[in-house]
Amino acid sequence: MSKIPVAKKGFRSWLSTNEGKPSKSVLYEQKYQIHHDRIRNKENMSEEEGHSSSFVSMVNPQPTAADYERYDADRRLKEKARDMRVAQRSASSSARNSLSMTPEPKELSPSSDQYFTPKRESSSGLEDEFVTPSTSKKDRRQRSSGSRDVTPLSTKPPRYMSSEEHAYYTTCLSRKMEENFTKMHDLVLSGHTLEEARKQAIAETTSTNDRSPRSSARRSSVETTVIVNRSSSQPAPIEKLNSIPLFSRTSSPGPSRSNDPPTVHTSYVDTLVATHRMHMQYADRVVVSVEKQMTKLESMKFLQNLASLSPAAEEVKRRKMAAEALRNLVETNEQREKKLEVVRDLKDRIRKITDVQLSTHQLVSNRPFKGDPYNERLLKSLDGWTSLPFHEFDVQTARELHLLQKKMLTTIEKFKNVASLHRNNNSRSFNTGRKSIAMKIIPSQHSTEASSSEPSRNPPNQSTREAATQVSARLADVAMTQTSPRKVGVEPLDLSSLEKASLEKRHSSSQTTPPRPSEDASQQTVFTESVVQSEAACDDTSKTAVLSITTPTILDIDEMLNSIQLYNESLETIDSFSHFKSDISYPSVSSEPSVETTPRSGRVSLDPESARRLSSGLSQLLDKIKKDNESVEAKIEPESEAEVEVNTGNVFSHPPPIIQEDSPSAESEVNSSNQSPPTNEDSEVELNLCDHDDTQFEHEMEEQEEQRKLRESIQTPTPPKPSEENYDAVGYGQSYIDPEDEEDETKKFTNNDEFERSLEDEQSDSMIREFNDSADDSGFLLDNKPAPRLKSIFDNVPTSDLRSDTPRISNVANDSTFNHLDMEEYCQKDYLPEIGPVMIHKAIELQGEIRGLDWISAQNVWKPPSFEDIQMDFYDHFDYFDSYSVLLWGAVVDLINVNYLKFDRKLTESEERTFEKEALDMLEKEFGVESKKNEWSKEVKMSKKLEGMIPYEIDYRYDIRRGLPETERQKYQWQQVQMTVIADRFPKKKLRDELDAVYNSEKENLGEVVISSELEQMLDSPQRSIKEKNPRVSDV
Amino acid sequence: MTKPLLKPMYPTLISNMIAKRNDEAVNEFERSFNCRVLEIFADNRRLNVEELKHDSEEFVKSLKTEFIWGETGKTKYVPITRLLKLLKNSPQSIQDLLPHKTVTTLVKITNFNLAIDITLIEELVKTVIHAEETYVKLLPYAENGTEISSYGLQDFVSAHYVPQMIEEPERADYYSAYAVGIIFFLLDSRRRENVYLKDLLSSTLLMHLELCIHAENNCLETPDIDVFRFTVAQFRNTLYEFRCLDTDRNGVLSPTEMTFFREGLFNAVFIQRVFEISMVYESGCLDFKAFVDLVAAIRFRHTMASAKYHFEAFDFKGDGILDEDEIRTAACFQAQALPEYAPSDDNVNIDIVTGELKDMLRLNKNGVSSKEFVNNRMNSTFTGFLSNYSDFLKYERREQ
């Protein structure tokens, strides 16, 4: 033991002995230590803390002797308990063997106590019996040291006061502790619960403190408690501890175990649980509180004697107890709630199984259905389970859950078979004329109403109803035969009500997204699909599978929905982030699985007209800008012009030659004949493409729309174009527009009807977008429907000539592009390459003015093209565009400021070139098409150090990270943002500068004070000297 | 008379702030002067924070009038254009809060029509204010305005956080040492005496600490960030582990005691190296702090700090380069003890294992430097493979 010199007495003593000696290994450097000590003593000790805590040496949690005592005792107790348990078990098992194989009802005495009730002889020889070799070694040491010292417990060097009182105090205290502990220990062993024992022990301690009335008080208190708590046949324990009667076990108290549930099953498990709990409580309450009390007391160095000590100790203890009790209460309540939830869930399942069985049964036979006896029994017994101990409960429920799942699977399978059989032989053998319950779905009144009236405005209370109808829709699928789901007239599945929950559950319940009714697929496929899917779900996460089988009534469905949430909150679920930022809610997560793009629904898209207007207007604006710049960059001009031309062409997805055609009038004609059908078609195409995301109701809407359009287009074969003069006038003013373009524009849109219709289209579009926002993304699973009415529509359109074929075909071919202008795509693909260079040149040109400006004020220097003032009708659409250019310009200004405008001079040629290159790169990477390909975790730029910390436990390997659910990513990114923002706020240099400023001003103040005082002195002294010199003057 | 006065008139401390910390030569006057300067500085900061709080309240209020609803009607967004207008009318402090970089990032996180989720901005404001407040609180414990020593931080923890706990740790001083140990480890300044306040604040570790305390106080389940293990329960576990290992009860762990670390699952040579790379006492024993470092290194194996720790441990030659020999040696040790744990059927061929490990690190002839190692994504797998048997077996049997 003495090999290590440090250990015995701790760091300080080591330091004092070794001071000045060179040390071999790295240690806390002594001078720092000294410095710290000095500083601390001067500065901090005087402050509010009163005691210095952190300068304890780190030699370690140097345990006190009492600690060891405690650990030993602890272990001893454990081992003893174990041994007894073993003995008891073997005894009881042998006994049982002799009697019968069934578990005996166990003599009706509360079980766990019997293991702890010592035999008389064992309790007498207790200490020696349980000493293990390692402890005995220690004991020996202690004993020997005890013989040397006054007491074994005072070996610990006093930290704050070396006085004798302290030593005395510690000894006293630990002896007291020791005493109390053994008492308690014995009490516990003799059949008291911990609470009682503890109470007694505490009562004793408190009475110990005021010494005089101690004996009597203690005795009385002990006796009363004992008498109250134990059965009267027992003697008071303290004085006669060692003479506890052998049979104390049989009469050991029931009431003390009131919180222990009646044990129904294996006694062994129960005992284990009880023992375990006892250990836990033991460790938690007694040891911690006593120990804490001790350390606290130790550290109060102003305490001079024991007497003044006691109230504080008591106070602390009481506080602890209260906190403990509170926590216990909360815990038990929580547990109970959780149990109840689980039970409810189980019941739900059983009910569902029964329902399925019922419907199966009804399909098959006419006789009345008498449920599954097992289920009934289970249902009855479930209620009793809540009183089981937690562990046991868990085991039981898990087992039942498993069974139920299996059962559910088989039931479904059976139902499937029966159903298909039933369907096949519908007219013949099973022609019973009965309908199964599951088929009696009455499409709820609300839903149809809701769906026909403005679905875009969801009334807030609609969620449950929605859910109900969704499920009924699904049911219609499952119930197949009688009604085609289209006729049910239900609302599209919108899982938005579940979205939140599912997000919180980290998408664990993603399996619950049900198959959507597909109108064109045959019933057969729908049915099998759904069942297959549910089966797959069963296999995957067997938890949620059950839920996709439904019961007819709305009430049940509600319950089911609830149970979805409930189940997922299984006992150990931590809903983590809500604690972290409880009120933060992220924007709705993209419904499309692709990481690459913003969800369609999240995008702003323009109808062709406004798209065309937008892009042509843009190109003109850019032209104008370029013309302004002409003088500067004469050489770039022509090619950029051409570029613009080409780009606008691309935007329209027109073949460029059309624009090049001869006379304006001819062109306009060509265009007009060319334009209108494609817009129609395109919208059709788009609608059809949208089908993947659409739901039934939308389909109906679309269908109507289509019909209407069809009629219209037939009525007006060549729709004249809407006039757009006002737009142009408002928009750009005559000065912007080339005469050619202007004419072109005016001729393009001459029909007001068309214009209006485009508005309508837009509305319906926005509606569609609204729907798409739902979390339901399972649509793509079902995209194997036959191509809908495309062909017929095209055939019927009278104006479909050769020309119009080309765009259509191309559209059909690559179905990912919409002729509908998508703002995001447009900005990234077409706008950026044009505006980027312009902005960069502007930045170079205006470098003097934007020096040192941030993105906000830079907008005042030069404003990127914006629609802000132009067209308020389409504010939302152009918002995206405006925001985009604001961001771009801000980025350029940032870049040039950070990297190039550090020095107060103009950029050189080469610098300009490198800046141009870098800026282009940056724009492309950050804002261009590429920006979506970035790894999401890299989107936030962090410093090296922060990156290395990896705030969340996220595996840095790419493939794993990619699989993370959206919320995790957002969490991660959010964390990154947090870190970077804070890091930006506390740069070392800034802080130091600030400090320096304070320092300098203070120095000046000080200087002034000093100088003025000196001056005063100077002034004083001459006066004095003058006085001294010329006393006569004054006299005179 | 004037001479002694002149000298303290021009204190020369702040210019070399870093030197000041250890400067024994500072006299009373200088020290008090420094204190005064720091106090004034802290006061200024406090005023600034108050102002910022007020401004940001106004800002958030106005933000809430300028939003568009998301399509679900649940989330509020503010488009950039409107944000810009708002910011133009806001005071400078708010403008500083949302530089272009941040705005761009927020837009990307929001991923909706180039708008920003309002809650994000609100949270950001909250975070910044929290950081500023923490900074002001930290200042009295910091040596100067930019960095704080581990002792200072310990004092801070025990003065500010420990009293918040309902169930106080068994030993508050060891708890603070434990928390600070982890913080320092994660900030990659394990062996340094000081850490920059900037790093400390931006790591948001203190915030996690608070959350852990809060969770424990209210009997909530510990939050996800529980990985940082600041709760008293976790502290108790670590302390318990330490005490259990400390069989001779001298408060430090000797190499022999450490052989039982985690049931001997760890590579013997790794454990041995731990002693060599940690701060040890004269007798070559680990104290609690070093033990916390080790535990943290094992727990946070995916972090850079841990990678560095392990690199040091496996760099037997201590030349800053991990080469084949070293890997082979470690693997040998690993394989020697293996039969106890693994059945004989998978005998480990050292050459194959070494080759595999080399591939993992993309090792060339010259070996791999610390920097390269840290940047390597496989490093946590590598270190797990070599340092303990359970990870080793896990990796060996990954395909079974």
Side-chain angles (χ1 to χ4, degrees), chain B residues 138 141-142 146-150 152-153 184 193-195 197 200:
Chain B
L138 275 169
Y141 299 90
T146 54
E147 47 191 40
I148 188 168
S149 69
S150 57
L153 193 57
F184 265 62
E193 202 186 343
N194 289 274
V195 69
L197 282 175
L200 178 64

Side-chain angles (χ1 to χ4, degrees), chain A residues 40 59-60 291 602 999 1002, chain B residues 11 36 72 113 155 170 174 251:
Chain A
R40 286 194 57 75
V59 175
N60 134 163
E291 158 121 338
Y999 170 74
E1002 268 307 286
Chain B
R36 185 176 156 72
T72 48
N113 281 345
D155 285 346
E170 182 186 335
Y174 289 119

Side-chain angles (χ1 to χ4, degrees), chain A residues 565-592:
Chain A
Q565 298 181 355
L566 286 183
Y567 187 77
N568 284 332
E569 275 164 21
S570 67
L571 300 180
E572 277 81 25
T573 311
I574 309 163
D575 75 332
S576 52
F577 200 54
S578 58
H579 296 311
F580 182 41
K581 290 290 160 206
S582 54
D583 47 350
I584 195 166
S585 73
Y586 285 104
S588 61
V589 177
S590 72
S591 55
E592 279 174 47

Side-chain angles (χ1 to χ4, degrees), chain A residues 4 7 25-28 31-32 35-36 40 43 53-54 56 58-61 68 71 138 159 291-292 296 320 323 327 338 506 574 576 580-581 583-587 598 601-604 770 773 855-856 860 868 875 879-880 882-884 887 890-891 894 926 932 939-940 944-946 948-951 953 971 973-975 977-979 981 983-986 988 991-992 994-996 998-999 1002 1006 1010 1017, chain B residues 1 9 11 14 17 21-22 24 29 31 33 36-37 40-41 44-45 71-72 77 79-82 84-85 87-88 97-101 103 105 108-111 113-114 117 119-120 123-124 126-128 132 135 143 145-146 151 154-155 158 166-168 170-171 173-174 186 193 196 198-199 202 204 208 211 219 221-222 224 227-228 239 243 249-252 280-281 283 287-289 299 302-304 375:
Chain A
I4 302 130
S25 48
V26 196
L27 287 171
Y28 302 106
K31 65 171 181 179
Y32 298 166
H35 172 67
H36 274 298
R40 286 194 57 75
E43 293 169 1
S53 53
S54 70
V56 184
M58 277 301 109
V59 175
N60 134 163
Y68 294 130
Y71 283 117
K138 187 216 111 221
R159 262 181 299 165
E291 158 121 338
K292 200 175 301 148
K296 270 227 151 127
K320 290 297 157 214
R327 212 186 66 184
K338 280 177 181 167
R506 311 205 183 152
I574 309 163
S576 52
F580 182 41
K581 290 290 160 206
D583 47 350
I584 195 166
S585 73
Y586 285 104
T598 319
S601 58
R603 296 185 188 183
V604 171
E770 193 91 358
D773 200 47
W855 69 285
I856 300 163
N860 300 330
E868 201 176 1
Y875 186 74
D879 233 9
Y880 187 96
D882 287 356
S883 305
Y884 192 72
L887 281 182
D894 250 23
E926 298 282 313
K932 289 295 172 186
E939 274 175 13
V940 186
K944 211 65 219 224
K945 185 169 275 177
L946 298 186
M949 271 200 31
I950 309 183
E953 203 177 22
K971 240 197 294 186
Q973 280 184 326
W974 168 248
Q975 178 77 6
V977 172
Q978 243 182 344
M979 289 171 116
V981 165
D984 287 345
R985 279 191 83 82
F986 298 94
K988 263 166 273 169
L991 294 179
R992 210 164 278 172
E994 228 176 304
L995 200 57
D996 275 350
V998 175
Y999 170 74
E1002 268 307 286
L1006 184 70
V1010 171
Q1017 278 176 356
Chain B
M1 174 90 189
M9 216 179 94
I14 307 272
M17 272 301 240
R21 185 178 61 241
N22 305 326
E24 294 292 310
F29 174 78
R31 194 173 293 134
F33 181 80
R36 185 176 156 72
V37 168
I40 293 174
F41 178 66
N44 288 346
R45 291 299 290 208
E71 274 155 6
T72 48
Y77 301 96
I80 295 291
T81 43
R82 298 192 200 182
L84 184 68
K85 273 186 214 150
L87 282 177
K88 273 181 185 166
L97 207 61
L98 289 167
H100 183 265
K101 204 172 65 176
V103 168
T105 313
K108 279 180 179 166
I109 294 183
T110 307
N111 199 16
N113 281 345
L114 289 192
D117 192 346
T119 42
L120 282 178
E123 283 305 319
L124 190 75
K126 269 187 218 160
T127 309
V128 167
E132 288 281 355
Y135 181 70
E143 301 275 349
T146 54
Y151 297 108
Q154 279 177 37
D155 285 346
S158 47
I166 288 179
E167 184 193 4
E168 284 185 15
E170 182 186 335
R171 305 270 308 245
D173 45 352
Y174 289 119
L186 286 174
E193 202 186 343
Y196 286 117
K198 176 188 160 191
D199 292 340
S202 60
T204 61
H208 296 318
L211 284 169
C219 301
E221 276 126 355
T222 35
D224 226 9
V227 288
F228 287 125
L239 191 56
R243 284 179 177 163
R249 291 168 180 177
N250 54 10
V252 288
V280 286
Y281 283 87
S283 48
D287 65 4
F288 184 59
K289 253 188 176 173
R299 181 72 185 79
H302 52 282
T303 61
M304 203 160 76
N375 288 330

